[in-house]
Amino acid sequence: MPPTSQSQRDASTPTRRSFLHTAGVTAIASASGTTAALYSVDRVRATGSSRDAGILADGLSVEDADFSAFMAGLLSRYRHSYRAPPTAETLADRMRNEFTANEDLWLDYAHWLIEEADARPLGSATLGVDVVLTRGRWPTVDDREETTVEVTFDEGKMEFSALEWRLEPPEMPDYRIELRNHAAENAADELQSFRREFIDSSADRNHTVPDAEYLSELAGKYGGAIGFGERSENVLELLLGDLNAF
């Protein structure tokens, strides 16, 4: 069964806990001067159709964006290191290790989102996730590492039965997704930061949804990462779907 479309949801009073689904291929974001637009990504299925959700959920949204946080994120894109980044292989390894070491917490959070906010995950699928560094980010770097995410989701129970992230090229993936340049460089740290701030590791499991400040900063930070004809997103959108602040 495909994810429920936005027109089928009750959207009369959206709040920061609303989970929005965007049908079809989403729009390319823009961020220019004092104009800030929603950060979105072009997710194209390998077979030609679109991917509508993240692995664990179908998106996070807030009612009122935080423009100052957006600008802080926008400015952070221009803080380049004077050293070349680690290899794509190292970045992929760090990202995968951070997620795998805390996989149970992420899956518990996903099940909480399903129960508390009617989130709809991607479902069973094989994803090819490419970690990419290009000369556009660093003049001497041109590197790529392919990883595979295998997801098994029980539609009847509405829960994950298996999720594995492997450091190997995918075979006949349903989707191909890129984590490019600073999105790849930041991936492991952002998984860790999100987990520590919004995923409760105690027995109480008092998870929370990101607020306007957090989502707005991400919108500014990654709005310029999208180019025409490119397919790229940050690691949190890979897992949670669209992170909409505008």
Side-chain angles (χ1 to χ4, degrees):
M1 180 183 296
T4 305
S5 67
Q6 178 61 27
S7 62
Q8 294 172 305
R9 292 177 183 259
D10 180 8
S12 58
T13 55
T15 69
R16 76 180 186 88
R17 296 174 66 89
S18 298
F19 285 70
L20 305 181
H21 166 73
T22 304
V25 179
T26 54
I28 292 177
S30 64
S32 173
T34 58
T35 301
L38 143 73
Y39 169 51
S40 191
V41 293
D42 177 14
R43 299 188 177 94
V44 180
R45 186 170 181 150
T47 56
S49 61
S50 64
R51 181 168 77 84
D52 299 318
I55 294 172
L56 305 180
D58 56 348
L60 306 176
S61 183
V62 293
E63 183 175 6
D64 298 312
D66 185 325
F67 189 69
S68 62
F70 175 88
M71 291 305 298
L74 185 68
L75 292 173
S76 74
R77 299 206 312 250
Y78 303 100
R79 297 178 191 143
H80 293 287
S81 171
Y82 292 103
R83 296 181 296 176
T87 64
E89 180 182 18
T90 297
L91 294 173
D93 194 42
R94 289 177 181 174
M95 171 185 64
R96 181 261 181 191
N97 287 346
E98 165 60 29
F99 178 83
T100 301
N102 300 283
E103 182 179 321
D104 289 346
L105 288 176
W106 278 97
L107 292 183
D108 189 83
Y109 187 68
H111 293 146
W112 178 80
L113 295 179
I114 293 170
E115 293 174 3
E116 296 295 322
D118 194 30
R120 182 80 186 192
L122 177 65
S124 297
T126 300
L127 296 90
V129 182
D130 298 343
V131 176
V132 181
L133 298 173
T134 71
R135 290 189 176 89
R137 174 68 169 168
W138 191 264
T140 61
V141 172
D142 190 4
D143 196 10
R144 175 184 296 265
E145 185 71 17
E146 297 182 28
T147 74
T148 300
V149 178
E150 291 277 0
V151 186
T152 305
F153 186 76
D154 188 322
E155 294 284 349
K157 296 180 179 180
M158 287 299 291
E159 64 182 28
F160 292 89
S161 54
L163 194 157
E164 184 181 11
W165 201 326
R166 300 191 302 271
L167 299 176
E168 60 183 45
E171 296 183 7
M172 300 180 65
D174 297 305
Y175 305 93
R176 294 300 297 257
I177 296 147
E178 286 190 355
L179 302 173
R180 186 184 303 113
N181 295 329
H182 64 306
E185 294 169 50
N186 297 336
D189 289 341
E190 288 180 345
L191 287 175
Q192 182 183 80
S193 296
F194 188 97
R195 171 177 56 82
R196 288 177 172 175
E197 188 165 355
F198 303 110
I199 300 178
D200 183 10
S201 61
S202 73
D204 296 332
R205 292 294 195 266
N206 293 320
H207 305 311
T208 57
V209 175
D211 56 19
E213 180 180 1
Y214 181 85
L215 295 184
S216 298
E217 184 174 354
L218 280 183
K221 192 172 185 179
Y222 291 108
I226 308 304
F228 292 102
E230 297 177 340
R231 296 190 293 277
S232 180
E233 59 189 298
N234 69 63
V235 68
L236 295 172
E237 291 219 320
L238 168 66
L239 294 175
L240 300 174
D242 288 332
L243 303 178
N244 298 345
F246 292 87

